[in-house]
């Protein structure tokens, strides 16, 4: 359990309160600071978890019912999953019960700063994305034969998904003008080989076949793809890169984005983060040419071409959003305290809605852990078995994109966990699965619940 969550929240709110002029708002903010400080004390001293106060949201009863069933545990005597979810839900209640700070996101400043600090990758991706989208709009052929075209499309899909997986801008130079020679170069690139070696299970080909089959079967029909989001900032930026590509490539006709309803695990996307990102792209010079916090030295201003590239993204994504092709659809279920095994019974409307999707992406470590029940599975247990009612016969096709940052991992080949534990720092000397803590390794796992 990290204590710095409350510390960062207190520091951010202190700064926000210090800029206020309204005495009532200042007093309201200071009261929230006191509650955050008290919460930190309770956690550090292993006090019992207390029922959430009714802040008007429907999920309060669910949290309190589960807390009662756990017999009012202390912080160190309850499952990690419930404790962490409870922590962020309780922080949210402090703001929801206030008068002047109801919509304030105490983590928003930090989320935007990650986007600002990713300037080089943002600019490179923006330029490549603009070229790619214009090629797709103009239907510019990349290759000479259907086989080469198919190879190019498969590789492009994989590259887009892997950028989302790692949240970085690796191997972007060949994303556009993919000739057959370019494909061979990219497939043989050492950086790509190294990156792919770190994907322990890679089901991207199966996911691509699913979307391509749907496109070929009903090219003029509605074909929806959902993305259960993870982090804001640069990661949301690359998620939108993927969404825009899927739409322009015809692999989807509508993208549903699933953000959290409340500030969650510090960096998770809430609807306001989408608006914040678009606003930043609408006026990128103001964002990127401003001096960093605590410094008087401004970075170099963006070039006219860089501003043009970023403005293109703003116009493209805004247009997709306005036309109903790119939709945000939050749901309280995503911030519930339990695993996604509960989806069919706890949120039946959401469960039925996800069945309408051709493919549902689940991004990130927490979504993966919730899919697998955050259980201590043997690492060779099939992914479809570990996700229980979300697996085979669920009616939902799932693709999990996850860099490993916790012990829970499934679907590995026999002997792979042992091999990784035997590496330097892998945990073999302690029996712990330390290799899965750093984010160096990843899994991309598909389950066809419609089969």
């Amino acid at each position: 359990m990290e204590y710095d969550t409350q510390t960062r929240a207190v520091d951010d709110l202190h700064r926000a309160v210090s800029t206020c002029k309204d005495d009532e708002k200042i007093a309201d903010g200071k009261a929230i600071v006191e509650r955050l400080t008290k919460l930190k004390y309770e956690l550090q001293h292993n006090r019992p978890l207390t029922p959430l106060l009714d802040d008007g949201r429907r999920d309060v009863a669910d949290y309190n019912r589960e807390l009662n069933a756990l017999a009012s545990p202390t912080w160190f005597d309850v499952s990690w999953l419930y404790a962490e979810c409870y922590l962020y839900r309780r922080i949210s209640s402090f703001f929801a019960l206030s008068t002047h700070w109801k919509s304030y996101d105490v983590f928003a400043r930090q989320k935007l700063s990650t986007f600002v600090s990713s300037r080089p990758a943002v600019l490179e991706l923006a330029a490549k994305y603009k070229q790619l989208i214009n090629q797709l709009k103009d239907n510019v052929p990349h290759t000479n034969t259907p086989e080469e075209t198919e190879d190019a499309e498969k590789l492009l899909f994989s590259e887009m998904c892997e950028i989302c997986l790692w949240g970085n801008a690796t191997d972007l130079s060949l994303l556009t003008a993919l000739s057959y020679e370019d494909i061979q170069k990219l497939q043989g690139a050492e950086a790509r080989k190294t990156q792919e070696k770190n994907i322990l299970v890679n089901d991207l080909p199966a996911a691509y076949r699913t979307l391509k089959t749907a496109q070929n079967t009903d090219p003029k029909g509605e074909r929806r793809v959902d993305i259960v989001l993870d982090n804001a900032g640069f990661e949301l930026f690359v998620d939108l890169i993927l969404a825009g590509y899927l739409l322009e490539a015809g692999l989807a006709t509508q993208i549903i984005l699933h953000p959290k309803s409340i500030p969650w695990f510090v960096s998770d996307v809430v609807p306001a983060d989408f608006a914040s990102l678009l606003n930043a792209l609408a006026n990128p010079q103001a964002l990127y040419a401003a001096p960093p916090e605590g410094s008087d030295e401004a970075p170099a201003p963006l070039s006219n071409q860089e501003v043009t590239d970023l403005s293109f993204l703003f116009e493209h994504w805004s247009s997709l959003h306005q036309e109903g092709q790119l939709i945000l659809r939050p749901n309280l279920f995503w911030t519930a305290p339990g695993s996604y095994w509960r989806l069919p019974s706890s949120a039946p409307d959401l469960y039925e809605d996800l069945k309408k999707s051709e493919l549902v992406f689940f991004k990130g470590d927490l979504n993966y852990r919730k899919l697998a029940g955050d259980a201590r599975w043997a690492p060779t247990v099939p992914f479809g078995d570990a996700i229980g009612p979300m697996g085979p016969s669920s009616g939902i096709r799932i693709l999990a994109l996850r860099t490993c940052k916790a012990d829970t991992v499934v679907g590995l080949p026999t002997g792979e966990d042992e091999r990784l534990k035997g590496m330097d720092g892998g945990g073999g000397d302690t029996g712990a699965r330390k290799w899965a803590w750093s984010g160096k390794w990843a899994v991309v796992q598909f389950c066809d619940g419609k089969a």
Side-chain angles (χ1 to χ4, degrees):
M1 185 76 64
E2 295 184 1
Y3 304 136
D4 65 347
T5 293
Q6 297 96 307
T7 302
R8 283 182 287 185
V10 168
D11 291 345
D12 180 90
L13 191 54
H14 264 308
R15 292 177 54 192
V17 168
S18 69
T19 64
C20 290
K21 306 299 181 184
D22 183 279
D23 289 342
E24 288 187 6
K25 187 172 183 179
I26 291 172
D28 204 21
K30 288 182 176 179
I32 299 174
V33 169
E34 290 179 6
R35 295 186 186 101
L36 288 168
T37 303
K38 180 176 181 290
L39 175 61
K40 182 178 179 180
Y41 178 87
E42 291 175 10
L43 197 162
Q44 289 176 319
H45 293 83
N46 195 27
R47 295 293 191 259
L49 279 67
T50 57
L52 296 177
L53 298 178
D54 187 358
D55 60 10
R57 295 196 178 104
R58 298 190 311 275
D59 60 344
V60 170
D62 296 331
Y63 269 89
N64 289 343
R65 188 182 306 111
E66 188 151 348
L67 185 61
N68 184 61
L70 293 168
S72 299
T74 61
W75 281 97
F76 302 163
D77 297 320
V78 68
S79 73
W80 175 89
L81 184 59
Y82 183 85
E84 286 285 308
C85 292
Y86 169 90
L87 172 67
Y88 288 95
R89 182 60 185 85
R90 189 164 162 197
I91 290 173
S92 173
S93 73
F94 297 158
F95 292 89
L97 289 167
S98 71
T99 301
H100 300 280
W101 300 86
K102 290 183 183 297
S103 61
Y104 187 75
D105 182 355
V106 76
F107 306 119
R109 199 191 314 264
Q110 182 178 337
K111 288 186 279 190
L112 186 59
S113 71
T114 66
F115 182 66
V116 175
S117 65
S118 301
R119 170 175 166 164
V122 167
L123 296 178
E124 184 177 4
L125 258 179
K128 298 300 182 184
Y129 180 80
K130 179 185 175 186
Q131 295 172 20
L132 175 63
I133 295 303
N134 285 333
Q135 285 183 347
L136 291 170
K137 283 180 178 291
D138 296 338
N139 198 27
V140 176
H142 296 299
T143 53
N144 297 321
T145 69
E147 291 77 15
E148 291 175 0
T149 299
E150 179 75 6
D151 285 344
E153 290 176 349
K154 286 179 184 176
L155 183 59
L156 189 53
F157 175 80
S158 293
E159 283 296 294
M160 288 295 184
C161 290
E162 287 179 26
I163 289 170
C164 277
L165 170 67
W166 298 110
N168 60 28
T170 302
D171 282 336
L172 299 179
S173 60
L174 294 174
L175 277 181
T176 57
L178 283 173
S179 67
Y180 189 65
E181 290 73 24
D182 290 331
I183 293 168
Q184 291 178 319
K185 289 177 187 176
L186 188 53
Q187 288 172 334
E190 285 303 315
R192 179 172 175 79
K193 286 181 179 179
T194 300
Q195 195 89 315
E196 288 206 326
K197 285 179 182 176
N198 289 357
I199 303 177
L200 304 174
V201 180
N202 192 343
D203 290 339
L204 285 175
Y208 174 78
R209 284 195 301 272
T210 293
L211 296 181
K212 193 64 180 176
T213 298
Q215 181 185 26
N216 292 337
T217 302
D218 190 9
K220 295 185 178 180
E222 294 295 320
R223 286 169 284 104
R224 168 180 147 186
V225 169
D226 290 54
I227 305 176
V228 181
L229 299 169
D230 187 26
N231 295 326
F234 181 70
E235 188 172 325
L236 175 59
F237 178 79
V238 296
D239 290 342
L240 293 174
I241 291 280
L242 173 64
Y245 154 72
L246 291 173
L247 290 168
E248 292 299 341
L251 292 173
T253 59
Q254 186 182 63
I255 304 289
I256 308 292
L257 303 175
H258 297 268
K260 306 301 189 295
S261 302
I262 59 174
W264 192 247
F265 282 67
V266 179
S267 56
D268 279 38
V269 179
V270 296
D273 294 323
F274 177 77
S276 176
L277 180 57
L278 288 186
N279 288 336
L281 295 175
N283 188 12
Q285 200 70 270
L287 180 73
Y288 282 116
E293 198 169 317
S295 172
D296 295 327
E297 186 175 344
L302 300 174
S303 69
N304 290 337
Q305 184 60 55
E306 289 168 340
V307 170
T308 298
D309 292 341
L310 292 172
S311 297
F312 174 85
L313 267 65
F314 166 74
E315 293 167 2
H316 188 229
W317 293 341
S318 296
S319 175
L320 293 175
H321 184 52
Q322 291 167 3
E323 293 171 3
Q325 289 185 277
L326 189 61
I327 296 174
L328 272 72
R329 190 171 291 170
N331 191 290
L332 285 175
F333 177 78
W334 304 123
T335 51
S339 81
Y340 294 162
W341 279 48
R342 301 178 180 181
L343 178 60
S345 58
S346 296
D349 290 344
L350 175 60
Y351 178 60
E352 293 301 321
D353 184 56
L354 292 176
K355 291 181 181 181
K356 300 174 184 176
S357 183
E358 294 294 337
L359 183 65
V360 183
F361 287 80
F362 281 83
K363 292 287 308 298
D365 190 72
L366 179 61
N367 280 324
Y368 185 92
R369 293 176 71 172
K370 283 198 164 195
L371 277 172
D374 203 32
R376 295 182 178 177
W377 295 103
T380 54
V381 168
F383 177 65
D385 292 350
I387 62 177
M390 298 290 285
S393 303
S394 66
I396 301 173
R397 291 194 188 100
I398 287 175
L399 182 69
L401 301 180
R402 186 252 189 148
T403 53
C404 301
K405 297 175 184 175
D407 285 5
T408 301
V409 62
V410 297
L412 299 186
T414 300
E416 187 74 334
D417 182 49
E418 291 76 11
R419 179 183 74 84
L420 294 166
K421 282 182 177 178
M423 290 182 170
D424 187 30
D429 54 335
T430 64
R433 192 171 288 145
K434 290 184 180 180
W435 66 263
W437 299 352
S438 66
K440 175 183 177 180
W441 304 95
V443 290
V444 179
Q445 292 172 310
F446 174 75
C447 180
D448 189 349
K450 297 179 187 283

